[in-house]
Amino acid sequence: MRASNWMWMTLWLSACDPAPSGGDSSQMCDTGMEPAGPAERDWWDLGMADPVLNEVALYYLGQAWMGATDVSEVLETLTRVDPADERGWTAAFQQTSRRLRALAEASEEGGHPLTAATAYQRAATYLRAALHRHPDPWDPEVAALAAEAVDLHARYLLLSNSPCAPVAIPYESTTLPGYFCRAHEAEGAQPTLIFHEGKDGWAEDGKFVVDAAMARGYNVLLFDGPGMGKTIRLQGLPFRHDWEAVVAPVVDFLEDMPEVDPARLGLFGVSLGGYLAPRAAAHEHRLAVLVANPGVLDWGAAIRAELALIDPGLPDLYASDPGAFDAAITQIMEHSNFVRWGIHDAYWHHGVDSPSAFIAEVDRFRLGDSAADIRARTLVFDAEAEGRGQAAELYAALTCPKDYLRFTAEEAAQFHVQPGATAMLTHRLFDWLDDNL
């Protein structure tokens, strides 16, 4: 759920007949991804009509591992999502957030700061969840809800005696928002793990990394780079392919901190971060270790392959006639609210305004020969049902010390970035970090 939703759209459309003229543009198609009958349902099938939201729902269920959600609250919220309403997902999770906020405020006023903190944390998570599928990313409401989510999280940090504190990292003519987290009992300079998400995640979603790191005496720096979380919603900064320009200022920031051992810095990126973090490490050689989940070598090539699932001729049409390509994609968007939302969301994250501009932009997201310039010891994660990464290809291209780990269905961790399997993810991740950082 943190990577591009383009693949899900292509799979959805490839199984659909074109909508008849004047037909219902919100009608769902038979893709084979719809919920099966009760006797046939797999453990991960939550019954959502929308396959993307099924995966996103599993992700928010998984956040119960670190107390950022509760299982019953997520499941109850899903029952109120109206699939016929473009705002159905947003409205349901916004309502849950409001309820938890009121509960937190009552506890805080009653002199119960710790219980208030846990409710504020969940209220913040549910508001971020509401924004996960907002129908219009340019709506002023998006910035307002994002600011509220940040405020709720700040109340959680304050009342919980959290090891994390907000930081502003100097970046070009502005700053990037983040959190520096230090174990309460740690003394002296410690190893530090830098963590960032991909397209859909926020720095606040990295609490699973923080919890595990604090127990082991690591520092953690969580941050939202351009295109992510708070940065895209409150500052309007889209993604950039040259991620070393983002990570270098982060490393500069950390090197000035006496709590940080500059010889023991790690970088962990997930989803689209599986391209961004290796790209940064190819140029930023102050990193001791790198983790990519999953590995991505050439995101543009992955997007082109997904286009071919809609129509094998689309990649060639883009190459020969970008205007005709735009017209073809626009026609597809007219038949589905789901597809229209996904493509507009991609425009917003990348600062473009047409299908051809989006393809031209993601074509820049390729490592190429620079994969051989990575010096940090690298862990490349893969998964049996991973449909978005290129982990094996990235691993093969690396010339640095490297390790490869593939999550399996037996572990119930076979999907992209292991939604709902946070325990297994942290288990594998921190065993490796303990040995290498």
Side-chain angles (χ1 to χ4, degrees), residues 11 21 25 33 84 91 94 145 186 222 240 257 263 304 347 431:
L11 290 175
S21 176
S25 65
M33 296 182 188
Q94 191 173 355
L145 293 177
L222 312 169
R240 57 187 298 171
M257 302 182 71
R304 289 169 180 273
Y347 292 173
D431 272 6

Side-chain angles (χ1 to χ4, degrees), residues 173-226:
S173 60
T174 183
T175 60
L176 297 176
Y179 302 93
F180 183 75
C181 312
R182 178 172 172 78
H184 292 303
E185 67 277 9
E187 297 180 1
Q190 301 295 324
T192 301
L193 182 63
I194 304 165
F195 173 77
H196 65 66
E197 282 274 0
K199 186 176 81 68
D200 296 316
W202 298 52
E204 291 83 352
D205 296 325
K207 188 175 183 294
F208 73 100
V209 176
V210 173
D211 290 350
M214 295 301 99
R216 293 164 173 81
Y218 302 160
N219 302 319
V220 175
L221 179 71
L222 312 169
F223 79 97
D224 284 330

Side-chain angles (χ1 to χ4, degrees), residues 20 23 42 56 72 88 113 134 150 160 166 205 210 214 266 297 307 338 370 384 392 399 407:
D42 290 304
V56 173
S72 62
H134 195 286
V150 172
S160 67
D205 296 325
V210 173
M214 295 301 99
L297 189 64
L307 279 175
F338 170 61
S370 65
E384 282 187 359
T399 59
F407 291 100

